[in-house]
């Protein structure tokens, strides 16, 4: 009974087609499982995570693909299809909706609607960002343009102020022209063409104008110094620098020119005094000669006339001596002492001649002889002294001093330099 059984071909209890037996149910369940897995494989194909193996699930929980009571099991539709790979029903419930226990898409995979919505949000966000960037740029451009316009207007204001100050400089340059001409004559014309009285009157008439011009130039210089720090273009800066050069030059010209004129007037006065001195000296000499001629007749009337002429000669000599002393005391002309000494001898000689004439009138022979000798001796000394001058008289001495002053005077050189700078 329990002996070894023989295996008979085709005697296995598993059959291809059964109708409700345990074998049929087992194979049907396996076929349904296989198709479910194959269907999931097709859905999951191409996903980065792949599918989860059926046999790696925990023991306490059934695999998601295992059919439950509420899911339909594929059953053969007839005898001919049973057990031969017939199709199974989809893992959906009778309503057509996917069962909650069926395998689902990965959580990171979004629906087409959500993808479209997210793309739309991104496009809107990008548009907002671009619009904001454009708005910021426009605001910055507007701000930059505003400040740029303000800067240009500010610069134009300073340029206008500079134009006004340059106009003032030009006006003051024109106001200085009479003074410039006066000084140029003093440093250029020959001494014989210069008149001390005319120079003095012209300079006195200019002094108040010079003071006014000095005040305006200093105020203009201060304004240009304030403007210079706000100028931008090289051309405007150069204009302001040229204006400053002209202002400084004109201020220096006023100071230097006034000094030059004062010194020049001293020389022209000395020249006038020298000419007047020579005139008085010649008049005195002529009167002295006439007195000698009148006394040579040895008559009382002649002696009285001689005395008058000698007094006239003395007066002329004294005036000449005073002028010579003035030139000497100015300290600009050397050699005037010789003429002062010469005139003193001539005065003393005329005094001796008067004594002699009075001795003749009083019939005092001794006094007449002594006074006559004194007269002759002093005239001889005077002649010898004037001969040592080598015919260089006071006017020539003044001219020599004036030419030397003009040739080596630093003030005149500075005047000419500042005059050129003022024309910038």
């Amino acid at each position: 009974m329990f002996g070894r059984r023989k295996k008979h071909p085709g005697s296995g209890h598993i059959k291809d087609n059964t109708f409700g037996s345990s074998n049929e149910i087992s194979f049907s369940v396996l076929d349904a499982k296989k198709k479910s897995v194959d269907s999931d494989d097709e859905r999951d194909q191409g996903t980065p995570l792949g599918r989860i193996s059926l046999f790696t699930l925990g023991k306490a929980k059934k695999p998601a693909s295992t059919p439950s009571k509420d899911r339909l099991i594929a059953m053969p539709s007839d005898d001919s299809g049973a057990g031969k790979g017939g199709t199974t029903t989809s893992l959906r419930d009778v309503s057509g909706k996917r069962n909650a226990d069926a395998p689902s898409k990965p959580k990171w995979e979004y629906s087409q609607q959500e993808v479209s919505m997210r793309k739309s949000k991104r496009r809107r966000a990008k548009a907002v960002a671009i619009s904001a960037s454009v708005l910021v740029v426009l605001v910055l451009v507007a701000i930059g343009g505003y400040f740029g316009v303000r800067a240009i207007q500010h610069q134009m204001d300073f340029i206008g102020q500079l134009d006004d100050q340059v106009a003032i400089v030009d006006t003051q340059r024109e106001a200085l022209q009479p003074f410039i001409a006066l000084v140029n004559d003093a440093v250029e014309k020959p001494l014989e063409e210069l008149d001390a009285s005319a120079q003095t009157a012209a300079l006195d008439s200019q002094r108040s104008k010079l003071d006014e011009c000095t005040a305006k130039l200093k105020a203009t210089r201060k304004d240009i110094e304030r403007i210079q720090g706000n100028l931008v273009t090289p051309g405007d800066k150069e204009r302001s620098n040229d204006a400053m050069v002209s202002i400084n030059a004109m201020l220096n010209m006023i100071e230097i020119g006034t000094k030059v004129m004062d010194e020049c007037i001293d020389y022209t006065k000395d020249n006038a005094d020298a000419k007047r001195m020579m005139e008085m000296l010649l008049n005195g000499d002529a009167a002295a000669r006439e007195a000698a001629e009148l006394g040579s007749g040895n008559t009382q009337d002649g002696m009285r006339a001689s005395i008058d002429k000698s007094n006239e000669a003395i007066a002329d000599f004294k005036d000449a001596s005073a002028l010579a002393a003035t030139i000497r005391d100015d300290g600009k002309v050397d050699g005037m002492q010789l003429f002062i000494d010469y005139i003193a001898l001539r005065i003393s000689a005329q005094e001796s001649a008067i004594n002699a004439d009075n001795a003749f009138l009083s019939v005092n022979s001794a006094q007449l002889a002594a006074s006559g000798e004194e007269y002759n001796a002093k005239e001889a000394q005077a002649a010898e002294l004037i001969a040592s001058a080598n015919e260089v008289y006071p006017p020539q001495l003044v001219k020599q001093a004036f030419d030397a002053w003009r040739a080596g005077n630093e003030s005149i050189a500075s005047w000419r330099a500042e005059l050129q700078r003022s024309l910038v």
Side-chain angles (χ1 to χ4, degrees):
M1 169 175 186
F2 296 99
R4 187 173 184 181
R5 297 180 181 180
K6 293 181 180 180
K7 186 178 294 186
H8 190 274
S11 63
H13 69 279
I14 299 176
K15 298 180 180 181
D16 293 337
N17 296 301
T18 61
F19 296 95
S21 66
S22 60
N23 284 338
E24 180 182 353
I25 295 173
S26 298
F27 279 102
S28 297
V29 171
L30 293 175
D31 288 340
K33 175 62 180 175
K34 182 177 183 299
K35 291 182 179 293
S36 175
V37 171
D38 292 340
S39 177
D40 289 340
D41 288 342
E42 292 176 359
R43 288 194 305 268
D44 295 339
Q45 188 176 5
T47 61
L49 300 180
R51 65 179 179 84
I52 302 174
S53 174
L54 174 65
F55 300 102
T56 59
L57 299 176
K59 295 180 179 180
K61 184 177 180 182
K62 291 190 297 180
S65 60
T66 302
S68 59
K69 292 181 178 181
D70 57 350
R71 298 177 63 186
L72 297 178
I73 300 175
M75 297 298 290
S77 58
D78 53 20
D79 292 343
S80 62
K84 293 184 180 180
T87 60
T88 60
T89 60
S90 175
L91 299 180
R92 298 177 181 269
D93 55 21
V94 294
S95 64
K97 296 182 179 180
R98 187 177 182 87
N99 192 285
D101 294 333
S104 60
K105 293 182 180 180
K107 293 182 178 180
W108 54 267
E109 185 175 350
Y110 303 106
S111 64
Q112 186 63 33
Q113 181 180 3
E114 187 173 359
V115 170
S116 299
M117 183 177 65
R118 286 175 178 255
K119 288 183 178 180
S120 178
K121 287 182 178 180
R122 286 196 296 270
R123 284 194 297 269
R124 287 196 298 270
K126 186 176 181 180
V128 170
I130 293 174
S131 300
S133 300
V134 172
L135 180 60
V136 170
V137 171
L138 292 176
V139 170
L140 292 177
V141 170
I143 293 174
Y146 170 76
F147 284 105
V149 171
R150 286 290 303 275
I152 293 174
Q153 291 177 344
H154 202 50
Q155 185 66 200
M156 293 302 296
D157 290 340
F158 284 115
I159 293 174
Q161 295 177 29
L162 177 62
D163 292 339
D164 294 340
Q165 301 307 315
V166 171
I168 294 175
V169 174
D170 294 337
T171 301
Q172 298 310 308
R173 187 185 292 111
E174 289 297 323
L176 282 176
Q177 290 306 310
F179 176 71
I180 293 173
L182 184 63
V183 179
N184 283 338
D185 288 345
V187 300
E188 299 292 343
K189 283 186 175 182
L191 179 62
E192 292 77 11
E193 297 181 12
L194 298 176
D195 182 84
S197 298
Q199 283 181 312
T200 301
L203 182 60
D204 289 343
S205 68
Q206 289 290 318
R207 290 190 188 277
S208 60
K209 294 181 179 179
L210 294 178
D211 292 339
E212 180 181 353
C213 186
T214 298
K216 289 183 178 180
L217 288 173
K218 287 182 177 180
T220 303
R221 180 172 62 184
K222 186 176 180 180
D223 289 337
I224 293 179
E225 287 175 348
R226 173 184 56 81
I227 296 171
Q228 275 186 320
N230 297 284
L231 297 176
V232 176
T233 63
D236 293 329
K237 291 182 178 180
E238 184 176 0
R239 288 179 60 215
S240 66
N241 290 334
D242 290 344
M244 290 293 288
V245 170
S246 295
I247 290 173
N248 292 329
M250 285 187 280
L251 289 172
N252 291 336
M253 285 171 59
I254 293 173
E255 181 180 355
I256 296 172
T258 303
K259 180 181 178 182
V260 169
M261 284 304 303
D262 289 339
E263 293 180 356
C264 181
I265 289 172
D266 287 341
Y267 282 105
T268 54
K269 283 182 176 180
D270 287 346
N271 187 52
D273 289 345
K275 290 179 179 181
R276 180 62 180 166
M277 187 205 86
M278 288 300 299
E279 182 181 351
M280 301 308 296
L281 184 60
L282 292 175
N283 290 339
D285 182 73
R289 292 176 183 275
E290 187 176 355
E293 183 68 24
L294 291 171
S296 63
N298 293 325
T299 63
Q300 290 185 353
D301 291 339
M303 292 299 176
R304 291 186 183 94
S306 175
I307 292 172
D308 292 338
K309 282 294 179 180
S310 292
N311 286 326
E312 185 179 334
I314 289 173
D316 290 338
F317 285 143
K318 286 183 177 181
D319 290 341
S321 180
L323 292 170
T326 300
I327 297 172
R328 178 199 62 190
D329 294 341
D330 285 342
K332 297 182 180 300
V333 180
D334 296 331
M336 294 305 299
Q337 188 61 45
L338 182 147
F339 295 93
I340 293 173
D341 295 340
Y342 167 76
I343 293 171
L345 289 171
R346 295 299 300 272
I347 291 172
S348 181
Q350 289 303 306
E351 289 174 348
S352 296
I354 291 173
N355 290 333
D357 291 342
N358 286 326
F360 177 84
L361 293 173
S362 63
V363 190
N364 187 340
S365 300
Q367 182 65 38
L368 177 61
S371 295
E373 290 179 0
E374 289 179 0
Y375 168 80
N376 291 330
K378 289 178 181 178
E379 283 291 328
Q381 291 178 9
E384 183 179 356
L385 183 60
I386 197 64
S388 66
N390 297 320
E391 297 184 355
V392 178
Y393 300 108
Q396 286 78 21
L397 293 177
V398 174
K399 184 179 183 304
Q400 290 175 358
F402 177 77
D403 291 342
W405 166 79
R406 178 182 279 179
N409 190 276
E410 294 182 358
S411 296
I412 295 177
S414 298
W415 162 263
R416 289 170 175 157
E418 296 297 340
L419 179 61
Q420 293 299 320
R421 292 178 62 224
S422 69
L423 302 176
V424 174

